[in-house]
Amino acid sequence: MYWNQRYECMPREALTQLQLERLQATVERAFHNVPHYRRAMQEKGVEPGDIKSLGDLKKLPFTSKNDLRDNYPYGMFAVPLTEIVRIHSSSGTTGKPTVVGYTRNDINTWSELMARSLVCGGANRQDVIHNAYGYGLFTGGLGVHYGAERIGASVIPISGGNTKRQIMIMKDYGSTVLTCTPSYALFIAEVMEEMGLAPSDFKLKCGIFGAEPWTENMRREIEKKLGISAVDIYGLSEIIGPGVSIECQHKAGLHVWEDHFIPEIIDPVTGETLPYGTTGELVFTSLTKEALPMIRYRTRDISRLTMEPCACGRTHVRMDRITGRTDDMLIIRGVNVFPSQIESVLLEIGETEPHYLLIVEREGTLDTLTVWVEVSDELFSDEIRRLEQLEAKIRKEMESTLGISVKVKLVEPKTIERSEGKAKRVIDKRPK
Ligand code: DLL
């Protein structure tokens, strides 16, 4: 099922031509309307006229989150505020949030891309979409909402929180599609079970989950617990919000909507562009955005691109699910550790609950990593010996995957705080 077959399945040659025209127009507009871009391009000695092919993209300067912060709040906008019809912002864990703006056309583009994404992910106009992404400055809620309305589905704008009520509504209103973060989906599944409800009490058929990293194992866990098919959706406020890319039913990478965004993979240290198939930092250039054109925006998200054709017939490049961020990598005693590796190990072992927390501390000069993980009530009240065995098993698996020793602490159910939006998995207590 396609939403816009013409663009989703566009032959490569036509798509490349369209990208070039749109790139040239974007660079021109950014250069003339945004002082930051003009300055950055002049510093690199490049002018809009130098962009003659897609290969010339490399000549353009990168844009970083710091550039947005330095121009806080509206300095990166390429249109006057009177043209802006919507403002969102990305929370950010440090410093000032990033402010993003949309013109009326931008909202239209975004709604189209979200409609395309939802259909690609398995929704259609017959569906009742239970949208539990947060509504507000976060782009998740309204992004999905506009896309769902565009395809003509019935959208329930429930937002996050009040989980029992969510579940009642999902059951009574016959929701067929659930949209929220994967960690919240798991929490919903857990509360459902506590309420004595089973997947067969619901009409849910699929879930469209994103906004935070998750693993293949976590997908399996969610699919099993909710009795649905789960796909991964990706996006970021600076680029447009959700709807930059999404998996199709083949679940073999996320299709990046290349008629609107050009993705690149770079080496995060040298900034060098890397070929398809190589893992590195994702960089996006927007091709159609009016209010906030983004040129070579460094996402800090780690992924890989592939041009292999997909069985669904879409011609756009696919990206691997995000395996981490260049800034969520923990360096523990000199070894690089990603939270996603730990999640994979835990879910692979499968004897614990899928709720974990990583605590990093410094004892003397030594960094320590403690993995808190919940076990079931049943196991927790079992013999101490069984718990000790499990703890040892997890420790051993972790050590062989990560290459460093870790402490494992098995905790009672519900010890670890549940999230209604993006989960917080790491507490780093080391002095900065
Ligand atoms: O999280 C937009 C969004 C909303 C995407 C709903 C999908 C669904 P921000 O709040 O600006 O925007 O955060 C963007 O979240 O750079 C990634 O690090 C992370 N992220 C988003 N989607 C995924 C995903 C929204 N599918 C930041 N997998 C991005 C892993 C994701 N990380």
Side-chain angles (χ1 to χ4, degrees):
M1 271 283 277
Y2 306 112
W3 172 252
N4 186 337
Q5 188 169 4
R6 178 168 163 229
Y7 284 99
E8 291 172 54
C9 302
M10 205 172 209
R12 273 320 292 182
E13 207 176 316
L15 185 55
T16 316
Q17 181 56 33
L18 180 69
Q19 284 185 317
L20 178 60
E21 285 163 19
R22 290 181 165 178
L23 174 66
Q24 287 169 329
T26 296
V27 173
E28 189 81 41
R29 231 167 345 97
F31 185 87
H32 291 292
N33 299 342
V34 185
H36 165 82
Y37 281 126
R38 186 161 50 246
R39 212 169 31 242
M41 283 171 65
Q42 280 166 345
E43 269 167 25
K44 269 208 115 188
V46 46
E47 289 185 351
D50 296 333
I51 308 303
K52 298 198 174 68
S53 72
L54 288 180
D56 292 331
L57 184 63
K58 280 204 224 35
K59 296 181 180 163
L60 293 166
F62 291 117
T63 308
S64 70
K65 197 156 190 112
N66 273 343
D67 295 324
L68 286 159
R69 292 214 172 106
D70 292 346
N71 290 283
Y72 178 85
Y74 302 142
M76 295 291 277
F77 288 7
V79 299
L81 211 50
T82 47
E83 298 298 311
I84 300 284
V85 301
R86 176 95 66 79
I87 288 167
H88 280 285
S89 93
S90 99
S91 52
T93 41
T94 50
K96 291 255 194 214
T98 320
V99 182
V100 300
Y102 302 76
T103 63
R104 198 172 296 285
N105 275 337
D106 290 336
I107 294 288
N108 188 40
T109 307
W110 189 20
S111 307
E112 271 300 299
L113 289 178
M114 273 310 300
R116 211 193 259 192
S117 301
L118 292 172
V119 170
C120 181
N124 62 50
R125 63 187 304 271
Q126 262 80 36
D127 281 310
V128 177
I129 301 185
H130 186 96
N131 185 19
Y133 283 113
Y135 280 65
L137 285 174
F138 175 55
T139 51
L142 284 167
V144 170
H145 187 103
Y146 273 55
E149 282 192 353
R150 181 64 62 101
I151 62 177
S154 317
V155 54
I156 303 176
I158 187 94
S159 198
N162 204 341
T163 309
K164 283 201 172 131
R165 179 164 156 265
Q166 297 249 0
I167 293 170
M168 184 196 78
I169 286 179
M170 211 150 42
K171 181 165 170 288
D172 294 350
Y173 297 11
S175 309
T176 55
V177 177
L178 172 62
T179 52
C180 61
T181 58
S183 57
Y184 193 46
L186 264 184
F187 184 33
I188 290 178
E190 186 179 66
V191 177
M192 263 181 190
E193 217 176 296
E194 279 170 20
M195 290 166 76
L197 296 167
S200 55
D201 294 314
F202 297 83
K203 290 203 180 132
L204 279 184
K205 62 168 196 192
C206 72
I208 298 179
F209 305 126
E212 64 183 5
W214 51 314
T215 57
E216 216 35 59
N217 286 329
M218 180 120 156
R219 177 189 343 245
R220 253 178 272 142
E221 192 79 26
I222 295 175
E223 291 188 329
K224 189 174 75 194
K225 291 200 155 151
L226 288 175
I228 57 171
S229 164
V231 300
D232 191 6
I233 181 167
Y234 169 85
L236 60 167
S237 323
E238 295 84 347
I239 296 306
I240 205 158
V244 173
S245 65
I246 188 163
E247 286 176 332
C248 65
Q249 296 309 293
H250 298 281
K251 301 180 188 171
L254 294 85
H255 294 270
V256 179
W257 303 130
E258 274 186 287
D259 46 337
H260 294 271
F261 315 106
I262 302 183
E264 295 173 87
I265 292 286
I266 63 158
D267 178 324
V269 180
T270 62
E272 182 199 349
T273 313
L274 301 174
Y276 285 166
T278 317
T279 301
E281 179 180 347
L282 254 179
V283 168
F284 284 104
T285 299
S286 73
L287 295 177
T288 48
K289 270 209 316 181
E290 294 180 342
L292 189 66
M294 276 289 134
I295 294 182
R296 303 194 85 198
Y297 183 70
R298 292 187 61 159
T299 63
R300 303 190 194 171
D301 292 324
I302 298 164
S303 182
R304 207 166 55 126
L305 297 172
T306 171
M307 263 318 297
E308 294 285 309
C310 181
C312 74
R314 291 181 179 84
T315 50
H316 299 223
V317 68
R318 278 170 293 154
M319 56 181 253
D320 277 1
R321 64 163 62 251
I322 304 288
T323 49
R325 287 175 54 83
T326 53
D327 53 3
D328 81 356
M329 185 179 78
L330 294 164
I331 305 184
I332 295 168
R333 301 195 290 277
V335 177
N336 300 348
V337 174
F338 286 101
S340 60
Q341 293 175 294
I342 292 172
E343 179 176 312
S344 266
V345 172
L346 289 175
L347 293 171
E348 201 65 59
I349 294 174
E351 293 171 50
T352 58
E353 299 297 305
H355 301 286
Y356 65 94
L357 184 66
L358 312 181
I359 300 185
V360 191
E361 286 162 303
R362 182 161 295 157
E363 285 170 14
T365 52
L366 211 60
D367 294 339
T368 60
L369 170 63
T370 310
V371 180
W372 285 35
V373 54
E374 286 185 11
V375 292
S376 64
D377 260 330
E378 185 202 346
L379 194 70
F380 208 79
S381 46
D382 204 343
E383 286 173 54
I384 288 283
R385 205 164 51 93
R386 260 197 77 197
L387 283 177
E388 282 173 356
Q389 278 168 350
L390 179 59
E391 206 174 277
K393 182 172 172 186
I394 297 174
R395 202 168 48 234
K396 206 163 133 250
E397 286 293 317
M398 291 280 173
E399 289 175 5
S400 85
T401 306
L402 307 176
I404 53 161
S405 60
V406 301
K407 295 183 191 169
V408 174
K409 184 169 167 183
L410 300 180
V411 297
E412 278 180 85
K414 316 253 159 40
T415 309
I416 297 167
E417 200 188 335
R418 301 293 187 259
S419 94
E420 291 166 356
K422 299 188 191 231
K424 184 160 173 47
R425 308 262 193 217
V426 182
I427 299 181
D428 195 339
K429 296 183 173 166
R430 287 176 292 187
K432 294 276 175 287

